[in-house]
Each structure stands twice: as structure tokens, then as C-alpha cells.
Amino acid sequence: MKDIIQSIREGDDRQVNTLYRSYRSEFHDWALKNFTASAEQVADAFQEAVVIFYLNVKKGKITTLDSTVKTYLFAVGRNVLSNKIRKENKTIYVDPDTGGVDSLAAERMTDPFEINDRQRMIAGALRKLGDKCHRLLKLFYYEGNSMEAIAIKMAFKNENVAKSQKLRCLRSLKEIIKTQ
Amino acid sequence: MNLSEEELALIEAYLRKELSADKMAEVEAKITDNPDWQEAIRLHQDLEKAFDYNEANRLKQHLKSAGIKKTPTYLRWAAAAVLLIFLTGVFYFISSTKDYQKQYEAFYQPYPNIENPQERGEETFDSAFLYYEASRYQEALKFLEKRKGNAARFYSGQCYLALEDYAAARNAFQSVDADDPTYGTVSVWYLALTELQLQNPDRAKELLQNFAIKPDYQEKAARLLKALE
């Protein structure tokens, strides 16, 4: 299962499904037994846990595992579920041990679902941006490509054309934000 | 915010840690003094977070829809029966025609670019690998053909495999020196896969048995051999 880290880093997006399907039922049973939570809350928490783990690996924030993938997923899922219960139910919950889980490692992961108001506004504006600009900015800000690489991937004449296009796209984005 | 294109490029290079120590310190001083530079940094970081957030939600929605698609039990049994009959037919077809496509597809994955990863932002950037990473294999081949060495021959083989020109892929992988520490043994793995596509399972088995495959490939090689037995 450790190969999964390499596969995700190499851009194999199918791994997100594999992770989800492999541990969904087990997490569901474990969480319902140990938490006072609804099935919907548990399902939601596990979906977020898989996404958090996946994106942290993909973006190089996790490069090796001290434990099994399952242990990580359960630790992240436990944290997400605890927060959900705290926010939604406002009740005391049992915080069970996930059995040798490195909860610190789980807490060190960046949570892509946690953003501030300005970032949420930018995220909304990005969804309204035209396809070409969205792709260009995604290649740069999400995938971390150089402008030279973007010029080739998007069939621009050269790097300078890609840079100018990027500035135009940022201007369009700011216009959308203004009108939101 | 009125920054020039050069200033923005400098800020982005700073955030990606691509500058020398002196230049980093210079940029840091500028950031402390200049609100426009501070805003540019903030915007860059906010854009990264915003893209992560959108991608996270897209993936979550994808998982959610995968998790709720439920079919009535009787329909699932009926579908399973139809699938079983279909798969039995497919199995006999595959067995009778000695088609090794299935094993190839189960094991084939394009080799990542380890020569010139884009993240490094090296000055001596090689167009061949840019095209390779963009899956534009015909264009990558034009540059690779001008280069010498095992890396060029190995990645040419990768391009031919992706383009489904298996005879050319075989020639390319065979031309890689077997004792090359980086590409020697991994070429054998891909040559074995190529031989499967060329309907030569015996040659594929021979390659997998007789060569010392890199540790990363040992487990895969054993599984492939088992599948071919």
C-alpha cells in the first residue's frame, strides 16, 4: 500500500477512489461505534479525510508514512468528525483512540477545506473564470508549473506570451471579484 | 497594486524558493517596506488556497456521488449474472487468442520524468522533457532523437510505447546499456511489457526471469510472471 504515495505523486488520480473504497465501510463501522454521530456526518468526515490525505500527498506535504495509510486516514477522519460534531451538535463527544494513530502527523496536514473569507471569495471567482484562464492559473498556482512549461502545455508561442496572458487572467479575476 | 511584470516574477520566484540566499534577503527587505509587495504575496498565497479549496470540494463531490449511487438488490444480482456471462465469454476469447493486452494494461504506467523535473526550475530546461510531461510524445521524440545517451534512448522508448509503436519501442529499450545504473534494469521491465504487446510472452518471461530488476520492480515483476504462467 505504500506504493500509493508514489502513484499519487505521479498524478494517478484514480487513487482517490481506491483509498475511499478500501476503508469507507471500516471507518463507518468504527466511527458509529465510537462517536455519537449520524451516518451522514461519518460519511462526510471520511470523504473529507480522504481528500485531505490525498491532496497533502499530491502537493508533497507528505512524502513518507510512519504508519499505514489506513492509520493516517482514520486519524484525519477522527479529527474531522470531532470538529464536525463539535460545530454541528455542540455536544460532548467521546474522543476514542484510533489505535496507535499518529495524531500529530494527522494534525500537521493542511486542511484545504479551512479557508478565510477572502480566499472563499477568490475560490468563487475562479469558478466563474473562462476555461482558458482557469487552466492557465491552475497550472501555475495549483500545479506549480513554470511559465515555460505552461507555454508548452497550452501551446503558447513562448514563455513571454504565457506571462502576459497570466497577467490578463489575473486582471479578469479581479474584475469578477469586484462584481461579486 | 502597481507592480511590473519583473517584480511579480521576482516575488513568485521568492515564494517558490528559487532565488539565491542574497536575493531572498533582498526580496524579504522589500516585502517588509512595501505594501504592494505584501499584497502580491498575499494574493499568491490566497490563490493557492482557493485552488486547493475548489479541488478539494470537486474531489469530495466526486466521492459523494460514488458513495450514494445505489441500485436495487435484485437489479444488482441481475447485472452481476449478465456480467458473469459476459466475462466468461471475454475470458474464453482472451485465452483462445492469446491476447496479452490485459496484463499489459494492468502493469503499464508511463515512467515519470526524472531527468528534468519541472518543479526544480533549472535554467538549462530541456524542451524534450517539457513535451514529455505534457504527453506530447511526437514533439518530445523530435528533441530526444537529437540527444545521445541512455536517458534519451529510454525516454524515446517511453514515447513510442505511449504512441503504440511497439516495434520502435523495442528497438529503443534494447539500445539502452544494460549496466546503466539509472535506466539499465528499468528498460528491461518496459522491454518485457513491449514484448507482451508484440505477442511474445515467452520473451517477456525470459526477460523478467533473467535480469536483476530494480527493487521497486521486483514485486511487480513477480506478479506479472505469475499472471503469465
Coordinates of all heavy atoms in Angstrom, one line a residue, chain B residues 136-215:
Chain B
R136 N 3.0 15.2 -25.0 CA 3.1 15.5 -26.4 C 4.3 14.7 -27.0 O 5.4 15.2 -27.1 CB 3.2 17.0 -26.7 CG 1.8 17.6 -26.4 CD 1.9 19.1 -26.2 NE 2.3 19.8 -27.4 CZ 2.4 21.1 -27.4 NH1 2.1 21.9 -26.4 NH2 2.8 21.7 -28.6
Y137 N 4.1 13.4 -27.2 CA 5.2 12.5 -27.4 C 5.8 12.6 -28.8 O 7.1 12.5 -28.9 CB 4.7 11.0 -27.2 CG 4.2 10.8 -25.8 CD1 2.8 10.6 -25.6 CD2 5.0 10.8 -24.7 CE1 2.3 10.4 -24.3 CE2 4.6 10.6 -23.4 CZ 3.2 10.4 -23.2 OH 2.7 10.3 -21.9
Q138 N 5.1 13.0 -29.8 CA 5.7 13.2 -31.1 C 6.7 14.3 -31.1 O 7.8 14.2 -31.6 CB 4.6 13.5 -32.2 CG 3.6 12.4 -32.5 CD 4.3 11.4 -33.4 OE1 5.5 11.3 -33.6 NE2 3.4 10.5 -34.0
E139 N 6.3 15.4 -30.4 CA 7.2 16.5 -30.3 C 8.4 16.2 -29.4 O 9.6 16.6 -29.7 CB 6.5 17.8 -29.7 CG 5.6 18.4 -30.8 CD 4.2 18.7 -30.2 OE1 3.6 17.9 -29.6 OE2 3.7 19.8 -30.5
A140 N 8.2 15.5 -28.3 CA 9.3 15.1 -27.4 C 10.3 14.3 -28.2 O 11.5 14.4 -28.0 CB 8.7 14.3 -26.2
L141 N 9.8 13.4 -29.1 CA 10.7 12.5 -29.8 C 11.6 13.3 -30.7 O 12.8 12.9 -30.9 CB 9.8 11.5 -30.7 CG 9.4 10.2 -30.0 CD1 8.5 9.5 -30.9 CD2 10.6 9.4 -29.7
K142 N 11.1 14.4 -31.3 CA 11.9 15.2 -32.2 C 13.2 15.7 -31.4 O 14.3 15.8 -32.0 CB 11.1 16.4 -32.7 CG 10.2 16.0 -33.8 CD 9.5 17.3 -34.4 CE 8.2 16.8 -35.1 NZ 7.3 17.9 -35.2
F143 N 13.0 16.1 -30.2 CA 14.1 16.6 -29.4 C 15.0 15.4 -28.9 O 16.2 15.5 -28.8 CB 13.6 17.4 -28.2 CG 13.1 18.8 -28.6 CD1 11.7 18.9 -28.9 CD2 13.9 19.8 -28.7 CE1 11.2 20.2 -29.2 CE2 13.5 21.1 -29.1 CZ 12.1 21.2 -29.4
L144 N 14.3 14.3 -28.5 CA 15.1 13.2 -28.0 C 16.0 12.6 -29.0 O 17.1 12.1 -28.7 CB 14.1 12.1 -27.4 CG 13.4 12.5 -26.1 CD1 12.3 11.5 -25.8 CD2 14.4 12.5 -24.9
E145 N 15.5 12.6 -30.3 CA 16.3 12.0 -31.4 C 17.6 12.8 -31.6 O 18.6 12.2 -32.1 CB 15.5 12.0 -32.6 CG 14.5 10.7 -32.7 CD 13.4 10.9 -33.6 OE1 13.4 11.9 -34.4 OE2 12.5 10.0 -33.6
K146 N 17.6 14.0 -31.2 CA 18.8 14.8 -31.3 C 19.8 14.6 -30.2 O 21.0 15.0 -30.2 CB 18.5 16.3 -31.4 CG 17.7 16.7 -32.6 CD 17.4 18.2 -32.5 CE 16.3 18.6 -33.5 NZ 15.6 19.8 -33.2
R147 N 19.4 13.9 -29.2 CA 20.2 13.7 -28.0 C 20.9 12.3 -28.0 O 20.4 11.4 -28.7 CB 19.4 13.8 -26.7 CG 18.9 15.2 -26.4 CD 17.8 15.2 -25.4 NE 18.4 14.6 -24.1 CZ 18.6 15.3 -23.0 NH1 18.4 16.6 -23.0 NH2 19.1 14.7 -22.0
K148 N 22.0 12.2 -27.3 CA 22.6 10.9 -27.2 C 22.5 10.4 -25.8 O 22.1 11.2 -24.9 CB 24.1 11.0 -27.6 CG 24.3 11.2 -29.1 CD 25.8 11.4 -29.4 CE 25.9 11.7 -30.9 NZ 27.2 12.2 -31.2
G149 N 22.8 9.2 -25.5 CA 22.8 8.7 -24.2 C 21.6 7.8 -23.8 O 20.6 7.7 -24.6
N150 N 21.8 7.1 -22.7 CA 20.8 6.1 -22.3 C 19.4 6.8 -21.9 O 18.4 6.2 -22.2 CB 21.3 5.3 -21.1 CG 22.4 4.4 -21.6 OD1 22.3 3.8 -22.7 ND2 23.4 4.2 -20.8
A151 N 19.5 8.0 -21.3 CA 18.3 8.7 -20.9 C 17.4 9.0 -22.1 O 16.2 8.7 -22.2 CB 18.6 9.9 -20.2
A152 N 18.1 9.5 -23.2 CA 17.4 9.8 -24.4 C 16.8 8.6 -25.0 O 15.6 8.6 -25.5 CB 18.3 10.5 -25.4
R153 N 17.5 7.5 -25.0 CA 17.0 6.3 -25.7 C 15.9 5.7 -24.8 O 14.9 5.2 -25.4 CB 18.2 5.2 -25.8 CG 19.2 5.7 -26.8 CD 20.1 4.5 -27.2 NE 21.2 4.3 -26.2 CZ 22.4 4.8 -26.2 NH1 22.8 5.6 -27.2 NH2 23.3 4.5 -25.2
F154 N 16.0 5.7 -23.5 CA 15.0 5.2 -22.6 C 13.7 6.0 -22.8 O 12.6 5.4 -23.0 CB 15.4 5.3 -21.2 CG 14.3 4.9 -20.2 CD1 14.0 3.5 -20.0 CD2 13.6 5.8 -19.5 CE1 13.0 3.1 -19.2 CE2 12.6 5.4 -18.6 CZ 12.3 4.1 -18.4
Y155 N 13.8 7.3 -22.8 CA 12.5 8.1 -22.9 C 12.0 8.1 -24.3 O 10.7 8.2 -24.5 CB 12.8 9.6 -22.4 CG 12.7 9.6 -20.9 CD1 13.9 9.7 -20.2 CD2 11.5 9.6 -20.2 CE1 13.9 9.8 -18.8 CE2 11.5 9.6 -18.8 CZ 12.7 9.7 -18.1 OH 12.7 9.7 -16.8
S156 N 12.8 7.8 -25.3 CA 12.3 7.6 -26.7 C 11.4 6.4 -26.7 O 10.3 6.3 -27.2 CB 13.4 7.4 -27.7 OG 14.2 8.5 -27.8
G157 N 11.9 5.3 -26.0 CA 11.1 4.1 -25.8 C 9.8 4.4 -25.2 O 8.7 3.9 -25.6
Q158 N 9.8 5.2 -24.1 CA 8.6 5.6 -23.4 C 7.6 6.3 -24.4 O 6.4 6.0 -24.4 CB 8.9 6.5 -22.3 CG 9.6 5.9 -21.1 CD 8.7 4.9 -20.4 OE1 7.5 5.0 -20.3 NE2 9.3 3.8 -20.0
C159 N 8.1 7.2 -25.2 CA 7.3 7.9 -26.2 C 6.7 6.9 -27.2 O 5.5 7.0 -27.4 CB 8.1 8.9 -26.9 SG 8.6 10.3 -25.9
Y160 N 7.5 6.0 -27.7 CA 7.0 5.0 -28.7 C 5.9 4.1 -28.0 O 4.9 3.8 -28.7 CB 8.1 4.2 -29.2 CG 9.0 4.9 -30.2 CD1 10.4 5.0 -30.0 CD2 8.4 5.5 -31.3 CE1 11.2 5.7 -30.9 CE2 9.2 6.2 -32.2 CZ 10.6 6.3 -32.0 OH 11.4 7.0 -32.9
L161 N 6.1 3.8 -26.8 CA 5.1 3.0 -26.1 C 3.8 3.7 -26.0 O 2.7 3.2 -26.3 CB 5.5 2.6 -24.6 CG 6.2 1.3 -24.3 CD1 6.3 1.1 -22.8 CD2 5.5 0.1 -25.0
A162 N 3.9 5.0 -25.6 CA 2.7 5.8 -25.5 C 2.0 6.0 -26.8 O 0.8 6.1 -26.9 CB 3.0 7.1 -24.8
L163 N 2.8 6.0 -27.9 CA 2.3 6.2 -29.2 C 1.8 4.8 -29.9 O 1.4 4.8 -31.0 CB 3.3 6.9 -30.1 CG 3.6 8.3 -29.8 CD1 4.8 8.8 -30.5 CD2 2.4 9.3 -30.1
E164 N 2.0 3.8 -29.1 CA 1.7 2.4 -29.5 C 2.5 1.9 -30.7 O 2.0 1.1 -31.5 CB 0.2 2.3 -29.7 CG -0.6 2.6 -28.5 CD -2.1 2.5 -28.7 OE1 -2.6 2.1 -29.7 OE2 -2.8 2.9 -27.7
D165 N 3.7 2.4 -30.9 CA 4.6 1.9 -31.9 C 5.6 1.0 -31.2 O 6.7 1.4 -30.7 CB 5.4 3.1 -32.5 CG 6.3 2.7 -33.7 OD1 6.5 1.4 -33.8 OD2 6.7 3.5 -34.4
Y166 N 5.1 -0.3 -31.0 CA 5.8 -1.2 -30.1 C 7.2 -1.7 -30.7 O 8.1 -1.9 -30.0 CB 4.9 -2.4 -29.8 CG 3.7 -1.9 -29.1 CD1 2.4 -2.0 -29.7 CD2 3.7 -1.3 -27.8 CE1 1.3 -1.5 -29.1 CE2 2.6 -0.8 -27.2 CZ 1.4 -0.9 -27.8 OH 0.3 -0.4 -27.2
A167 N 7.2 -1.8 -32.1 CA 8.5 -2.2 -32.7 C 9.6 -1.2 -32.4 O 10.7 -1.5 -32.0 CB 8.3 -2.4 -34.2
A168 N 9.2 0.1 -32.6 CA 10.2 1.2 -32.3 C 10.6 1.2 -30.8 O 11.7 1.5 -30.5 CB 9.6 2.5 -32.8
A169 N 9.6 1.0 -30.0 CA 9.8 1.0 -28.5 C 10.8 -0.1 -28.2 O 11.7 0.1 -27.4 CB 8.5 0.8 -27.7
R170 N 10.6 -1.3 -28.8 CA 11.5 -2.4 -28.5 C 13.0 -2.0 -28.9 O 13.9 -2.2 -28.1 CB 11.1 -3.6 -29.4 CG 12.1 -4.8 -29.3 CD 11.9 -5.8 -30.4 NE 10.9 -6.8 -30.1 CZ 10.3 -7.5 -31.0 NH1 10.5 -7.3 -32.3 NH2 9.5 -8.5 -30.7
N171 N 13.1 -1.4 -30.1 CA 14.5 -1.0 -30.5 C 15.1 0.0 -29.5 O 16.3 -0.1 -29.2 CB 14.4 -0.3 -31.9 CG 14.2 -1.3 -33.0 OD1 14.4 -2.5 -32.8 ND2 13.6 -0.9 -34.1
A172 N 14.3 0.9 -29.1 CA 14.8 1.9 -28.2 C 15.2 1.3 -26.9 O 16.3 1.6 -26.4 CB 13.7 3.0 -27.9
F173 N 14.4 0.5 -26.3 CA 14.7 -0.1 -25.0 C 15.9 -1.1 -25.1 O 16.8 -1.1 -24.2 CB 13.5 -0.9 -24.4 CG 12.4 0.1 -23.9 CD1 11.1 -0.1 -24.3 CD2 12.7 1.2 -23.1 CE1 10.1 0.7 -23.9 CE2 11.7 2.0 -22.7 CZ 10.4 1.8 -23.1
Q174 N 16.0 -1.8 -26.2 CA 17.1 -2.7 -26.4 C 18.5 -1.9 -26.5 O 19.5 -2.5 -26.3 CB 16.9 -3.5 -27.7 CG 16.0 -4.7 -27.4 CD 15.7 -5.5 -28.7 OE1 15.8 -5.0 -29.8 NE2 15.3 -6.8 -28.5
S175 N 18.4 -0.6 -27.0 CA 19.6 0.1 -27.2 C 20.1 0.8 -25.9 O 21.2 1.4 -25.9 CB 19.4 1.2 -28.3 OG 18.5 2.2 -27.8
V176 N 19.4 0.7 -24.8 CA 19.9 1.2 -23.5 C 20.9 0.2 -22.9 O 20.6 -1.0 -22.9 CB 18.7 1.4 -22.6 CG1 19.2 1.9 -21.2 CG2 17.7 2.4 -23.1
D177 N 22.0 0.8 -22.5 CA 23.1 -0.1 -21.9 C 22.5 -0.8 -20.7 O 22.0 -0.2 -19.8 CB 24.3 0.7 -21.5 CG 25.0 1.3 -22.7 OD1 24.9 0.7 -23.8 OD2 25.6 2.4 -22.6
A178 N 22.7 -2.1 -20.6 CA 22.1 -2.9 -19.5 C 22.7 -2.5 -18.2 O 22.1 -2.7 -17.2 CB 22.3 -4.4 -19.8
D179 N 24.0 -2.0 -18.2 CA 24.6 -1.7 -16.9 C 24.4 -0.2 -16.5 O 25.0 0.2 -15.6 CB 26.1 -2.1 -16.9 CG 26.8 -1.5 -18.1 OD1 26.2 -0.8 -18.9 OD2 28.0 -1.8 -18.3
D180 N 23.6 0.5 -17.2 CA 23.3 1.9 -16.8 C 22.6 1.8 -15.5 O 21.6 1.2 -15.3 CB 22.5 2.6 -17.9 CG 22.2 4.0 -17.5 OD1 21.5 4.3 -16.5 OD2 22.8 4.9 -18.2
P181 N 23.2 2.5 -14.4 CA 22.6 2.4 -13.1 C 21.2 3.0 -13.0 O 20.4 2.5 -12.2 CB 23.6 3.2 -12.2 CG 24.3 4.1 -13.2 CD 24.4 3.4 -14.5
T182 N 20.8 3.9 -13.8 CA 19.5 4.5 -13.7 C 18.5 3.8 -14.7 O 17.4 3.6 -14.3 CB 19.6 6.0 -14.1 OG1 20.6 6.6 -13.3 CG2 18.3 6.7 -13.8
Y183 N 18.9 3.6 -15.9 CA 18.0 3.2 -16.9 C 18.2 1.7 -17.4 O 17.4 1.2 -18.1 CB 18.0 4.1 -18.1 CG 17.6 5.5 -17.8 CD1 18.6 6.5 -17.7 CD2 16.3 5.8 -17.5 CE1 18.2 7.8 -17.4 CE2 15.9 7.1 -17.1 CZ 16.9 8.1 -17.1 OH 16.5 9.4 -16.7
G184 N 19.3 1.1 -16.9 CA 19.6 -0.3 -17.4 C 18.4 -1.3 -17.1 O 17.8 -1.8 -18.0
T185 N 18.2 -1.5 -15.8 CA 17.2 -2.5 -15.4 C 15.8 -2.1 -15.7 O 15.0 -2.9 -16.0 CB 17.4 -2.9 -14.0 OG1 17.4 -1.8 -13.1 CG2 18.7 -3.7 -13.7
V186 N 15.5 -0.8 -15.5 CA 14.1 -0.4 -15.7 C 13.7 -0.5 -17.2 O 12.6 -0.8 -17.5 CB 13.9 1.0 -15.2 CG1 14.5 2.1 -16.1 CG2 12.5 1.3 -14.9
S187 N 14.8 -0.4 -18.1 CA 14.5 -0.7 -19.5 C 14.0 -2.1 -19.8 O 13.2 -2.4 -20.6 CB 15.7 -0.4 -20.4 OG 16.0 0.9 -20.4
V188 N 14.6 -3.0 -19.0 CA 14.2 -4.4 -19.1 C 12.7 -4.6 -18.8 O 12.0 -5.4 -19.5 CB 15.1 -5.3 -18.2 CG1 14.6 -6.8 -18.3 CG2 16.5 -5.2 -18.5
W189 N 12.3 -3.9 -17.8 CA 10.9 -4.0 -17.4 C 10.0 -3.5 -18.5 O 9.0 -4.2 -18.9 CB 10.6 -3.2 -16.1 CG 9.2 -2.9 -15.8 CD1 8.5 -1.7 -15.9 CD2 8.2 -3.8 -15.3 NE1 7.2 -1.9 -15.5 CE2 7.0 -3.1 -15.1 CE3 8.3 -5.2 -14.9 CZ2 5.8 -3.8 -14.7 CZ3 7.1 -5.8 -14.4 CH2 5.9 -5.1 -14.3
Y190 N 10.3 -2.4 -19.1 CA 9.5 -1.9 -20.2 C 9.6 -2.7 -21.4 O 8.7 -2.8 -22.2 CB 9.8 -0.4 -20.4 CG 9.1 0.5 -19.4 CD1 9.8 1.0 -18.3 CD2 7.8 0.8 -19.5 CE1 9.2 1.8 -17.3 CE2 7.1 1.5 -18.5 CZ 7.9 2.0 -17.4 OH 7.2 2.8 -16.5
L191 N 10.8 -3.3 -21.6 CA 11.0 -4.2 -22.8 C 10.1 -5.4 -22.6 O 9.5 -5.8 -23.6 CB 12.5 -4.6 -22.9 CG 12.9 -5.4 -24.1 CD1 12.5 -4.7 -25.4 CD2 14.4 -5.7 -24.1
A192 N 10.0 -5.9 -21.4 CA 9.2 -7.1 -21.2 C 7.7 -6.7 -21.5 O 7.0 -7.5 -22.1 CB 9.3 -7.5 -19.7
L193 N 7.3 -5.5 -21.1 CA 5.9 -5.1 -21.4 C 5.7 -5.0 -22.9 O 4.6 -5.3 -23.4 CB 5.6 -3.8 -20.7 CG 5.4 -3.8 -19.1 CD1 5.2 -2.5 -18.6 CD2 4.3 -4.8 -18.7
T194 N 6.7 -4.4 -23.5 CA 6.6 -4.2 -25.0 C 6.5 -5.6 -25.7 O 5.7 -5.7 -26.6 CB 7.9 -3.5 -25.5 OG1 8.1 -2.3 -24.7 CG2 7.8 -3.1 -27.0
E195 N 7.3 -6.6 -25.2 CA 7.2 -7.9 -25.8 C 5.8 -8.5 -25.7 O 5.3 -9.2 -26.5 CB 8.2 -8.8 -25.2 CG 9.7 -8.5 -25.5 CD 10.0 -8.6 -27.0 OE1 9.2 -9.1 -27.8 OE2 11.1 -8.1 -27.4
L196 N 5.1 -8.2 -24.6 CA 3.7 -8.6 -24.4 C 2.8 -8.1 -25.5 O 2.0 -8.8 -26.1 CB 3.2 -8.2 -23.1 CG 3.5 -9.0 -21.8 CD1 2.7 -8.4 -20.6 CD2 3.1 -10.5 -22.0
Q197 N 3.0 -6.8 -25.8 CA 2.2 -6.1 -26.8 C 2.5 -6.7 -28.2 O 1.7 -6.7 -29.1 CB 2.4 -4.6 -26.8 CG 1.7 -3.9 -25.7 CD 0.2 -4.1 -25.7 OE1 -0.3 -5.2 -25.4 NE2 -0.5 -3.0 -26.1
L198 N 3.8 -7.2 -28.3 CA 4.2 -7.8 -29.6 C 3.8 -9.3 -29.7 O 4.3 -10.0 -30.5 CB 5.6 -7.5 -29.9 CG 6.0 -6.0 -30.1 CD1 7.5 -5.8 -30.0 CD2 5.5 -5.6 -31.5
Q199 N 3.0 -9.7 -28.7 CA 2.6 -11.1 -28.6 C 3.8 -12.1 -28.4 O 3.8 -13.2 -29.0 CB 1.8 -11.5 -29.8 CG 0.5 -10.6 -30.1 CD -0.5 -10.8 -28.9 OE1 -0.9 -11.9 -28.6 NE2 -0.9 -9.7 -28.3
N200 N 4.8 -11.7 -27.7 CA 5.9 -12.6 -27.4 C 6.0 -12.9 -25.9 O 7.0 -12.4 -25.2 CB 7.2 -12.0 -27.8 CG 7.3 -11.8 -29.3 OD1 6.8 -12.7 -30.1 ND2 7.8 -10.7 -29.8
P201 N 5.0 -13.6 -25.3 CA 5.0 -13.7 -23.8 C 6.3 -14.5 -23.3 O 6.7 -14.3 -22.2 CB 3.7 -14.5 -23.6 CG 3.4 -15.1 -24.8 CD 3.9 -14.2 -25.9
D202 N 6.7 -15.5 -24.2 CA 7.9 -16.2 -23.7 C 9.1 -15.4 -23.6 O 9.9 -15.5 -22.6 CB 8.2 -17.4 -24.7 CG 7.1 -18.4 -24.7 OD1 6.4 -18.5 -23.6 OD2 6.9 -19.2 -25.6
R203 N 9.3 -14.4 -24.5 CA 10.4 -13.5 -24.4 C 10.3 -12.6 -23.2 O 11.2 -12.3 -22.5 CB 10.5 -12.6 -25.7 CG 11.5 -11.6 -25.7 CD 12.9 -12.1 -25.8 NE 13.9 -11.1 -25.7 CZ 15.0 -11.1 -25.0 NH1 15.3 -12.2 -24.3 NH2 15.9 -10.1 -25.0
A204 N 9.0 -12.2 -22.9 CA 8.7 -11.3 -21.8 C 9.1 -12.1 -20.5 O 9.8 -11.5 -19.6 CB 7.3 -10.9 -21.7
K205 N 8.7 -13.3 -20.4 CA 9.0 -14.1 -19.2 C 10.5 -14.3 -19.0 O 11.1 -14.2 -17.9 CB 8.4 -15.5 -19.3 CG 6.9 -15.5 -19.0 CD 6.4 -17.0 -18.8 CE 5.4 -17.3 -19.9 NZ 4.9 -18.6 -19.9
E206 N 11.2 -14.6 -20.2 CA 12.6 -14.7 -20.1 C 13.3 -13.5 -19.6 O 14.2 -13.5 -18.7 CB 13.1 -15.0 -21.6 CG 14.5 -15.5 -21.7 CD 14.9 -15.6 -23.2 OE1 13.9 -15.8 -24.1 OE2 16.0 -15.4 -23.5
L207 N 12.9 -12.3 -20.1 CA 13.5 -11.1 -19.6 C 13.2 -10.9 -18.1 O 14.1 -10.5 -17.4 CB 12.8 -9.9 -20.4 CG 13.3 -9.7 -21.8 CD1 12.3 -8.8 -22.6 CD2 14.7 -9.1 -21.9
L208 N 12.0 -11.2 -17.7 CA 11.7 -10.9 -16.3 C 12.4 -11.9 -15.4 O 12.8 -11.6 -14.2 CB 10.2 -11.1 -16.0 CG 9.3 -10.0 -16.7 CD1 7.9 -10.4 -16.7 CD2 9.5 -8.6 -16.0
Q209 N 12.7 -13.1 -15.9 CA 13.4 -14.1 -15.0 C 14.9 -13.9 -15.0 O 15.5 -14.1 -13.9 CB 13.1 -15.5 -15.5 CG 11.7 -16.0 -15.1 CD 11.2 -17.1 -16.0 OE1 11.8 -17.4 -17.1 NE2 10.2 -17.8 -15.6
N210 N 15.5 -13.5 -16.1 CA 16.9 -13.5 -16.2 C 17.6 -12.2 -15.8 O 18.8 -12.1 -15.7 CB 17.4 -13.8 -17.6 CG 17.0 -15.3 -17.9 OD1 16.7 -16.0 -17.0 ND2 16.9 -15.6 -19.2
F211 N 16.9 -11.1 -15.6 CA 17.5 -9.9 -15.3 C 17.3 -9.5 -13.8 O 16.2 -9.8 -13.3 CB 17.1 -8.7 -16.2 CG 17.7 -8.8 -17.5 CD1 17.2 -9.6 -18.5 CD2 18.8 -8.0 -17.8 CE1 17.8 -9.7 -19.7 CE2 19.4 -8.0 -19.0 CZ 18.9 -8.9 -20.0
A212 N 18.3 -8.8 -13.2 CA 18.1 -8.3 -11.8 C 17.3 -7.0 -11.9 O 17.9 -6.0 -12.2 CB 19.4 -8.1 -11.2
I213 N 16.0 -7.1 -11.7 CA 15.2 -5.9 -11.8 C 15.4 -5.1 -10.5 O 15.6 -5.6 -9.5 CB 13.7 -6.3 -11.9 CG1 13.5 -7.3 -13.1 CG2 12.8 -5.1 -12.0 CD1 13.5 -6.7 -14.4
K214 N 15.3 -3.8 -10.7 CA 15.4 -2.8 -9.6 C 14.4 -3.2 -8.4 O 13.3 -3.7 -8.8 CB 15.1 -1.4 -10.0 CG 16.2 -0.6 -10.4 CD 15.8 0.7 -11.1 CE 15.3 1.7 -10.2 NZ 15.1 3.0 -10.8
P215 N 14.8 -3.0 -7.2 CA 13.9 -3.5 -6.1 C 12.4 -3.0 -6.3 O 11.5 -3.7 -6.0 CB 14.5 -2.8 -4.8 CG 15.9 -2.7 -5.2 CD 16.0 -2.5 -6.6

